[in-house]
Amino acid sequence: MSAALLGTERRTPPVAVRPGQGAAAALLDAAAVSTVRRRAALRPAPAGERPAPAPADPRPPLPPAARRRLALLLADRGGSGGSRRGTAPDLTELLPQWLAAAEEHGYRAPEALLPALLDAARARTDLRPAALALAGPRALWLSRLNAEWKFVLRGIGGPADLSGAGTGGSDDPDGIRRRWEEGLFAERVALLTALRRQDPGAGLALLSTTWPTERAEDRLMFLDSLRDGLSTIDEPFLEQALSDRSRNVRATAAELLSTLPGSALAARMAQRAHTCVGPDRTAGAPGIAVEAPHECDAGMQRDGVAPKPPAGRGERGWWLSQLMEAAPLDGWHARFGGRDAAAIVALPVADDWRTELHDAWCRAAVRQGNTDWARALLGAPGAPSRAAEVAPAGSSRDLTKLLTVLPDAERARWVAEFIAAHGLSEAFRMLGVCAVPWAEPLGGAVVDALDIARDAGSYPWSFSGVMGLAERCLDPAAADRLALLTAVTDEPEGASPGSGGYWSEAFQRLVGTLRLRATMHAELAPEPTGHDATANSGTGTGTGTGTPTATPAHGPVRTTRQPLAP
């Protein structure tokens, strides 16, 4: 302190001076060390043992331009604040797309960006799978040194996880068993998930060794891990779990068994359901007769039927819906004289049971992944009744869940036809389950619907959710075609004041985002030389941040409304 007050020229500081270092610099270094030591409230002590080195990651490094892009996206991931005004792309929403594209190329994350990458994944759960895939084995290594990154232990999957520290990999059963018996809960879940993906039988055997001693909440999580690689070899274990003391464990075991069409539980449920539902013998025309259960006996409860209905549901209808949901759908063809799914769904249902019956079949089609029944229950997308039957998230009649059962291309066509017939108001959740980038005709249908909304003079804020999806999901190749929509059009009579300018701004942002996405993909592509990679890193960017310029330098052009060319 005296040397600092008087100056190092008048008072020699009592600190060690390294070769080539001045006394003033040595004094400041000593003050910094003393400050850290005082804040730590610890006495000086010998250094602790260094951690083992991080495992090697043999994957290729990112190209230079892509590395700079990742650094920019990580630095600006919280900068937009959720605002949808302006023409600049939202970098926050581009980060997940960049991570997904990098994963396709098999790159590894730059070492210097790993902390920022893990911080981003900690803040946003939607980033975690792709971020951890890019981070690779070093993410697990870092998570053991920083408590804030413990989520990594719950988010890793794949065979690579079986090669953790202290084991000999998947060929070391003693090491795996030790990790299973001694690891943290998150580590055990990750280990079981990885082992199930590589060897389902070995994963089941590992779980069986400690199952009776696990806590109920832990048993539920471990049971859910059996979804990966679920097969008939799991049936005896799941049948035993039907007698578990935890109601949630019993319900999950019953659900898993019902997805195995040949299981004994599926056969029992089918027998019960066929007793309740069958051809209507009293009507002159073909139809469906329903006689709901009059009681929920002990056998039904053991097989996962909850006896107490939720508020607003009748007991008999509640029991019937659970039986129908768990019964294999393929068994209904013989029950109704060989009719296919579409013909069965088209049959009239007696006594106002149609809604209850079809809702249960919808859930069964989703649970069993049955495309024929999903297709039949969805029906024609252009039918007038389709829009009225779109149910909110979590309801039994959820067309969005049914769509997930269809193949990607068929799903996109169905949603495109739905939008063309009913507009965008009921299609937002449907768009969220379509494969990215949107294949035609889906992309064209969305743009045409937005174009029609602009013609009507509405504010674009009503369609901000769809516009945000379009920025993430439209094919970047459509940018040049969409540039026609960036013009400020004449507002129709009765339009909201200034709506034309707002729509122009929204379309400029859309076009700019698509062009930036195209640039990001180009930067990730392997290039022959470093010079080319550096030169191409600025392609399509209009600013130093890599944001494309969506409008000409002289600003948007005001034109009369023109139809969008195909």
Side-chain angles (χ1 to χ4, degrees), residues 184-203:
L184 300 174
F185 174 70
E187 294 176 297
R188 299 178 72 207
V189 172
L191 176 63
L192 178 61
T193 302
L195 192 57
R196 283 286 294 183
R197 291 174 181 172
Q198 180 170 310
D199 187 346

Side-chain angles (χ1 to χ4, degrees), residues 59-402:
R59 296 176 297 173
L62 285 169
R67 184 170 62 249
R68 290 192 293 271
R69 181 73 62 189
L70 175 59
L72 173 67
L73 295 175
L74 291 173
D76 291 355
R77 59 187 173 89
S80 67
S83 174
R84 300 305 298 160
R85 294 300 306 275
T87 61
D90 186 354
L91 299 185
T92 303
E93 295 303 327
L94 287 175
L95 179 57
Q97 297 188 46
W98 187 98
L99 290 171
E103 184 178 0
E104 293 177 1
H105 289 280
Y107 293 123
R108 72 169 186 265
E111 289 80 358
L113 295 180
L114 279 173
L117 183 63
L118 293 180
D119 283 341
R122 178 169 64 94
R124 291 181 55 179
T125 56
D126 61 310
L127 296 177
R128 290 182 182 178
L132 296 184
L134 182 68
R138 296 182 178 183
L140 180 61
W141 182 83
L142 285 170
S143 69
R144 300 182 186 279
L145 303 176
N146 186 339
E148 293 184 349
W149 297 331
K150 286 295 184 183
F151 70 89
V152 174
L153 298 173
R154 301 188 299 272
I156 355 183
D161 298 339
L162 301 178
S163 58
T167 79
S170 59
D171 296 328
D172 179 13
D174 292 336
I176 291 178
R177 181 180 293 273
R178 185 165 56 253
R179 290 172 62 189
W180 174 252
E181 294 175 350
E182 301 175 1
L184 300 174
F185 174 70
E187 294 176 297
R188 299 178 72 207
V189 172
L191 176 63
L192 178 61
T193 302
L195 192 57
R196 283 286 294 183
R197 291 174 181 172
Q198 180 170 310
D199 187 346
L204 179 64
L206 183 67
L207 176 59
S208 301
T209 59
T210 60
W211 178 261
T213 61
E214 303 287 356
R215 300 182 304 168
E217 54 268 32
D218 294 351
R219 292 199 305 276
L220 182 62
M221 289 293 294
F222 292 144
L223 199 62
D224 198 60
S225 299
L226 298 185
R227 295 182 189 275
D228 286 317
L230 184 67
S231 67
T232 54
I233 66 172
D234 302 311
E235 184 177 0
F237 180 85
L238 294 173
E239 277 285 344
Q240 292 182 0
L242 290 175
S243 302
D244 195 272
R245 56 186 180 275
S246 167
R247 180 175 59 85
N248 291 331
V249 172
R250 295 195 302 271
T252 302
E255 179 190 349
L256 293 175
L257 284 169
S258 69
T259 62
L260 293 173
S263 68
L265 179 137
R268 295 192 296 269
M269 288 300 201
Q271 182 179 7
R272 295 175 181 128
H274 292 180
T275 302
C276 297
V277 177
D280 189 352
R281 309 294 184 185
T282 62
I288 300 177
V290 177
E291 180 66 29
H294 291 273
E295 65 172 342
C296 183
D297 57 34
M300 291 169 59
Q301 294 184 42
R302 182 181 183 274
D303 285 345
V305 178
K308 186 176 181 181
R313 292 287 300 273
E315 282 186 338
R316 297 181 64 194
W318 171 243
W319 300 333
L320 175 67
S321 67
Q322 295 178 80
L323 297 180
M324 298 293 294
E325 183 178 352
L329 288 168
D330 290 339
W332 293 110
H333 302 303
R335 180 66 171 150
F336 287 99
R339 289 180 173 87
D340 61 14
I344 296 174
V345 170
L347 290 173
V349 183
D351 300 328
D352 297 325
W353 282 103
R354 181 181 185 276
T355 299
E356 192 81 55
L357 190 63
H358 284 208
D359 285 357
W361 275 337
C362 284
R363 294 192 299 274
V366 174
R367 178 185 289 191
Q368 299 172 29
N370 192 305
T371 55
D372 290 338
W373 278 84
R375 195 176 291 119
L377 291 162
L378 283 167
S385 61
R386 287 296 96 189
E389 291 187 3
V390 177
S395 70
S396 55
R397 184 68 60 86
D398 193 341
L399 299 190
T400 299
K401 291 183 178 180
L402 278 175

